Amino acid sequence: MASKLKAFPLLFLLLLLLLLLLLLLLLPVHTSNAQSWIKSGYWRPGILLPARDVNSALFTHLICGFADVHNSTYRLSIPSSVVQNFSTFTGTVKRKNPSIVTLLSVWAGEAQTYQSVYAQIPNSTVLSSMVSKASHRKSFIQSSIKTARRYGFDGLDLYWVWPSTGSDLINLGSLLDEWRAAINSESRNSNQSRLILTMALHYVPVLHLVSYPVDSIRWNLDWAHLIAYHYCVPTQVNFTCPNAALYDPWSNVSANFGIREWTRRGLPVSKLVLGLPYFGYAWTLVNPSDNGLGAPALGLGVTWNGAMGYKMIRSFIQDYDNAVAPTYNATYVVNYRTIGNSWIGYDDVEAIRAKVSYAKEKKLLGYYVLYVSEDHNWELSRAAGM
Ligand SMILES: *[C@@H]1O[C@H](CO)[C@@H](O)[C@H](O)[C@H]1NC(C)=O
Ligand SMILES: *[C@@H]1O[C@H](CO)[C@@H](O)[C@H](O)[C@H]1NC(C)=O
Ligand SMILES: *[C@@H]1O[C@H](CO)[C@@H](O)[C@H](O)[C@H]1NC(C)=O
Ligand SMILES: *[C@@H]1O[C@H](CO)[C@@H](O)[C@H](O)[C@H]1NC(C)=O
Ligand SMILES: *[C@@H]1O[C@H](CO)[C@@H](O)[C@H](O)[C@H]1NC(C)=O
Ligand SMILES: *[C@@H]1O[C@H](CO)[C@@H](O)[C@H](O)[C@H]1NC(C)=O
Ligand SMILES: *[C@@H]1O[C@H](CO)[C@@H](O)[C@H](O)[C@H]1NC(C)=O
């Protein structure tokens, strides 16, 4: 009898201890919002690869692009020609990877043709005017959340390259504050988990002599996509150069320099996801035997703007001379090949591997690729995922 009476509080204490342990185990997950290593990639319809053929097992996140912003209502809209593809995207990519997380991305809302995929993107007057007024922002934000939910996306992404004035950058801070508040409140009201919010950033935090709203970015975004390509293109310079240098000992145009600047201004590396280009650029050489980095060129080569997807580069190489391996330059972290009088600089397996190692070493949050559809037999994505 006496032992039974003693056992009761003991049992109670044990239970309490167990509960405490459970709480301790669960707590870090809830409070730190820890996100594990991100392996992400942009996909868009109309280029090369239907969603059902995406090897989503190689990714943790896939970003479906691009939604538009209407030029007078400022509502987010999906072009009617691709509504079907967008609405089935999440369900389709979950078949090969049920835990994949999908985001819907918003671009400049202009010139969304295949030709413009890697071209310089025109100034977005629509985005500038959307962010400039509270009522415009509200219309955009509410419709973006509705659209993401309607089509089963887990988050929203803004691919604004580039805000074109200083006031765009200031207004961007207001957009992000309001977008985050709306996302949080929608989650509370709908009883669904919060939508993820991300955006693409210029490689350095200052544009048009004005800083990005770093505090707002840090507080409101789940993470940011660092654009680490388009650094040097054949429509702008007449010598061969790396389009996506990780390092550059002779200039400040490199991802490594940009990451240092962003962290110096207060954005932690744990908020940065590094961009990996699945494309490169071709130049026409002045003299095919002078074909290193910095060799004189007559201008662009091969395509109308010199841009070539990795898949296209591989088939171009195959058509000519498949035997010679591309050169790898570890100073910049770039691969290149000369074929006839064309010189192509791009990221092959070596450059991709080195960049992913770098991202891990610097404790970035992960990487994203542009675009998953440009891979050749998933060789780059497998190299990146190692
Ligand atoms: C988009 O959807 C259409 C019709 O549903 C389909 O025929 C097409 O293959 C899809 N395109 C891509 C790139 O997924
Ligand atoms: C808005 O878009 C419509 C249809 O795309 C176009 O006809 C019109 O010219 C645009 N208006 C402005 C002010 O850009
Ligand atoms: C974009 O706008 C800025 C400022 O208005 C201007 O300096 C720049 O030349 C424009 N760029 C393009 C590609 O139109
Ligand atoms: C929200 O979810 C919780 C747990 O899943 C449930 O108990 C609650 O009733 C839900 N509230 C609403 C408003 O749906
Ligand atoms: C490159 O050189 C060609 C031929 O001399 C010239 O036509 C072109 O304008 C130059 N391009 C640039 C960006 O300097
Ligand atoms: C690179 O940036 C550093 C620090 O901002 C500056 O001191 C240096 O002059 C810059 N170098 C070049 C080549 O622009
Ligand atoms: C990369 O190319 C630059 C420019 O030609 C050269 O100075 C450097 O030595 C090269 N680095 C390697 C590792 O080959």
Side-chain angles (χ1 to χ4, degrees):
M1 184 77 189
S3 71
K4 253 188 198 163
L5 272 174
K6 259 183 214 158
F8 182 72
L10 209 83
L11 209 82
F12 189 74
L13 216 87
L14 238 130
L15 256 157
L16 213 84
L17 250 145
L18 215 87
L19 226 107
L20 226 94
L21 211 90
L22 242 151
L23 257 167
L24 272 173
L25 275 172
L26 288 171
L27 218 62
V29 179
H30 284 301
T31 51
S32 72
N33 218 351
Q35 173 68 53
S36 51
W37 186 243
I38 290 176
K39 302 189 279 184
S40 176
Y42 280 84
W43 174 88
R44 54 186 306 191
I47 56 170
L48 308 170
L49 196 75
R52 65 175 176 278
D53 293 338
V54 173
N55 189 349
S56 48
L58 297 171
F59 299 92
T60 59
H61 295 68
L62 283 170
I63 309 167
C64 177
F66 289 98
D68 271 329
V69 178
H70 191 275
N71 66 9
S72 61
T73 65
Y74 302 101
R75 294 173 60 83
L76 181 137
S77 76
I78 294 175
S80 57
S81 57
V82 295
V83 166
Q84 175 71 17
N85 303 82
F86 279 38
S87 65
T88 55
F89 180 76
T90 300
T92 305
V93 296
K94 273 189 198 280
R95 271 184 234 142
K96 281 182 195 143
N97 179 0
S99 61
I100 196 97
V101 174
T102 60
L103 280 75
L104 174 63
S105 185
V106 187
W107 194 9
E110 289 166 32
Q112 291 200 26
T113 63
Y114 177 60
Q115 294 296 308
S116 69
V117 169
Y118 306 116
Q120 296 292 76
I121 292 152
N123 279 343
S124 176
T125 50
V126 179
L127 287 180
S128 291
S129 112
M130 184 271 284
V131 293
S132 70
K133 268 213 180 106
S135 61
H136 297 174
R137 294 193 297 267
K138 188 168 180 199
S139 171
F140 168 76
I141 288 168
Q142 295 303 331
S143 62
S144 73
I145 294 172
K146 274 210 189 88
T147 310
R149 290 295 190 203
R150 182 182 312 141
Y151 297 125
F153 290 100
D154 306 303
L156 287 157
D157 173 62
L158 178 63
Y159 197 82
W160 189 0
V161 282
W162 305 110
S164 53
T165 62
S167 53
D168 282 351
L169 288 168
I170 293 161
N171 295 334
L172 177 63
S174 308
L175 174 75
L176 296 183
D177 292 343
E178 292 158 15
W179 212 353
R180 167 54 67 198
I183 281 174
N184 288 353
S185 113
E186 187 267 351
S187 162
R188 280 194 302 273
N189 296 337
S190 71
N191 218 11
Q192 297 185 69
S193 57
R194 280 193 325 192
L195 289 169
I196 294 165
L197 184 61
T198 64
M199 81 172 284
L201 299 176
H202 192 52
Y203 81 104
V204 283
V206 175
L207 259 178
H208 317 294
L209 304 175
V210 178
S211 169
Y212 266 92
V214 179
D215 288 337
S216 175
I217 286 169
R218 188 178 66 226
W219 290 116
N220 297 312
L221 296 184
D222 288 279
W223 62 85
H225 299 119
L226 188 84
I227 299 198
Y229 40 83
H230 294 320
Y231 291 164
C232 184
V233 297
T235 45
Q236 281 165 15
V237 298
N238 264 346
F239 53 88
T240 64
C241 56
N243 131 64
L246 180 57
Y247 307 106
D248 188 338
W250 301 281
S251 93
N252 282 340
V253 187
S254 71
N256 182 57
F257 177 80
I259 289 164
R260 277 211 321 260
E261 286 299 291
W262 273 106
T263 50
R264 204 167 59 80
R265 293 219 171 218
L267 189 67
V269 278
S270 60
K271 284 263 168 176
L272 284 174
V273 171
L274 180 66
L276 306 175
Y278 280 10
F279 63 92
Y281 288 93
W283 277 258
T284 301
L285 293 167
V286 169
N287 172 3
S289 57
D290 182 3
N291 55 22
L293 280 155
L298 296 168
L300 57 83
V302 190
T303 65
W304 72 282
N305 63 354
M308 296 174 81
Y310 183 64
K311 196 174 269 181
M312 186 191 201
I313 293 170
R314 288 292 297 263
S315 78
F316 189 71
I317 290 170
Q318 188 134 34
D319 286 349
Y320 287 82
D321 177 13
N322 207 17
V324 186
T327 304
Y328 173 61
N329 181 300
T331 307
Y332 296 99
V333 184
V334 63
N335 288 100
Y336 58 90
R337 280 281 315 246
T338 305
I339 291 165
N341 63 353
S342 303
W343 185 99
I344 310 166
Y346 63 104
D347 284 27
D348 212 318
V349 168
E350 291 97 330
I352 294 288
R353 275 210 186 107
K355 287 179 180 179
V356 173
S357 300
Y358 167 93
K360 285 184 174 163
E361 203 175 288
K362 297 277 175 181
K363 303 209 170 358
L364 268 58
L365 190 55
Y367 62 83
Y368 74 89
V369 311
L370 194 88
Y371 291 91
V372 292
S373 42
E374 298 289 5
D375 203 351
H376 173 80
N377 297 333
W378 301 107
E379 285 174 22
L380 296 183
S381 304
R382 287 211 170 86
M386 288 302 179

